[in-house]
Amino acid sequence: MINTSALRDTPTLVGKNVRLVPLSPEHAEDYFASGLDAEIRRLTGSHRHRSYAQAQSWCASRADDHERLDLAITSSRDGRYLGDLSLYAVEPENESAGYRIALSAIEFTGQGLGREATELVLEYAFERVGLHRVWLHVYAFNMRAIAVYRSCGFVVEGRLRDALLWEGRRHDALLMGVLRNAAPVGTFHGPGL
């Protein structure tokens, strides 16, 4: 069985360039603003705009949800909000959980920030929570994200055909997963654990 208290503890995980902190009301404004970026919405398949009140409510409710882990990605240098990530759909009996990550602006892509955040959370998921498998969905057109996930040990496990309808075109989603014992050697380097 997994250590579900590790989900309740809402850790702070520190890497070289990113710091993962519990998503909280202080992040509501940046969380809301990230939903306004058209390219970020396309990459995540988010059709609806969330209102500022919805963003506030979501960020305020994260500390009380002990069945998932929601963290803000911030800069280790200046604390700037860079995005958010989650371990969700946790199945204690199967030692499995879903994973999602979204950087808050295109300007943060291509710098290794998403990879570092993913490595930190996977180390926490496998070593502290005790998960065996972490899975995610990514749209097939998001080649940069797919490359990052592969570098973190994820492999394609399936394809959801025509899963996203975006501006009149249909796109497949890939199901990717990583197993605790299949992550690349040396992937995890988080000094914050």
Side-chain angles (χ1 to χ4, degrees):
M1 287 301 271
I2 67 170
N3 176 12
T4 54
S5 68
L7 297 173
R8 286 190 299 276
D9 293 343
T10 56
T12 294
L13 307 176
V14 181
K16 180 180 175 188
N17 298 301
V18 300
R19 188 168 183 256
L20 308 180
V21 299
L23 190 65
S24 68
E26 75 180 82
H27 303 112
E29 188 170 328
D30 292 318
Y31 181 76
F32 169 73
S34 69
L36 300 176
D37 187 299
E39 183 62 6
I40 296 299
R41 283 198 341 275
R42 182 183 77 88
L43 293 173
T44 59
S46 302
H47 289 287
R48 293 181 290 136
H49 292 274
R50 62 182 159 253
S51 69
Y52 185 68
Q54 289 170 322
Q56 285 181 307
S57 176
W58 178 255
C59 290
S61 70
R62 297 305 78 216
D64 297 327
D65 190 342
H66 302 303
E67 295 184 9
R68 58 183 283 151
L69 181 63
D70 293 286
L71 300 173
I73 306 166
T74 62
S75 168
S76 290
R77 284 192 320 273
D78 59 14
R80 183 178 182 187
Y81 180 86
L82 305 172
D84 70 287
L85 58 79
S86 301
L87 282 176
Y88 68 100
V90 177
E91 295 180 4
E93 302 82 4
N94 294 318
E95 300 174 343
S96 176
Y99 175 63
R100 60 159 292 284
I101 181 171
L103 294 178
S104 62
I106 292 301
E107 70 181 275
F108 301 135
T109 63
Q111 300 176 40
L113 303 172
R115 178 188 169 134
E116 186 176 346
T118 298
E119 290 172 346
L120 287 169
V121 82
L122 286 177
E123 182 173 18
Y124 190 81
F126 292 139
E127 301 303 322
R128 296 289 176 93
V129 180
L131 293 175
H132 173 72
R133 178 174 182 269
V134 175
W135 57 269
L136 60 84
H137 291 123
V138 59
Y139 295 110
F141 58 75
N142 195 345
M143 299 306 292
R144 182 178 291 183
I146 293 167
V148 169
Y149 298 141
R150 285 185 193 277
S151 72
C152 292
F154 285 88
V155 298
V156 174
E157 298 178 338
R159 178 178 293 268
L160 306 170
R161 297 178 299 148
D162 291 348
L164 175 68
L165 176 61
W166 195 266
E167 296 181 349
R169 294 188 59 205
R170 297 191 185 279
H171 302 277
D172 293 353
L174 302 179
L175 170 62
M176 299 182 77
V178 60
L179 303 179
R180 178 183 181 149
N181 58 356
V185 175
T187 294
F188 306 125
H189 56 74
L193 295 180

